[in-house]
Amino acid sequence: MNDETAGSTGGPEPAYDPAAPAPIGVERTPTGHADVDALLERLGDADHLPADGHIEVYEDVHRGLREALTALDARPGPPAPPSSYDNRS
């Protein structure tokens, strides 16, 4: 064993493959909203997929974010006034 291999794991290091999926290192800042933060973390799943697998992750996150925004608009409020179309004679 020479000085270059001392302390190594014994196996060859994996070859660098520029076409292999690799994390892009984009930091995600927590929003404080647990559901939104979980969706943003889901974006990290794309780091380990080939490019043609990214769309599924992006669509899933987009759907979840849209649902979170819709839920904000669906807060209960006073009932709507009756429609004048309901009182036909």
Side-chain angles (χ1 to χ4, degrees):
M1 181 182 292
N2 62 31
D3 290 338
E4 290 180 29
T5 59
S8 70
T9 59
E13 289 191 27
Y16 172 70
D17 180 1
I24 58 174
V26 174
E27 291 186 34
R28 289 172 287 282
T29 305
T31 65
H33 189 280
D35 293 338
V36 171
D37 290 342
L39 289 164
L40 294 177
E41 283 300 314
R42 169 102 166 90
L43 288 173
D45 293 347
D47 286 348
H48 309 288
L49 297 172
D52 63 350
H54 291 189
I55 190 74
E56 181 181 339
V57 173
Y58 297 155
E59 286 178 345
D60 182 46
V61 170
H62 183 254
R63 183 175 30 257
L65 291 172
R66 194 172 52 233
E67 289 171 1
L69 287 172
T70 300
L72 292 174
D73 290 337
R75 292 181 184 160
S83 171
S84 60
Y85 294 110
D86 293 340
N87 298 326
R88 293 185 186 178
S89 30

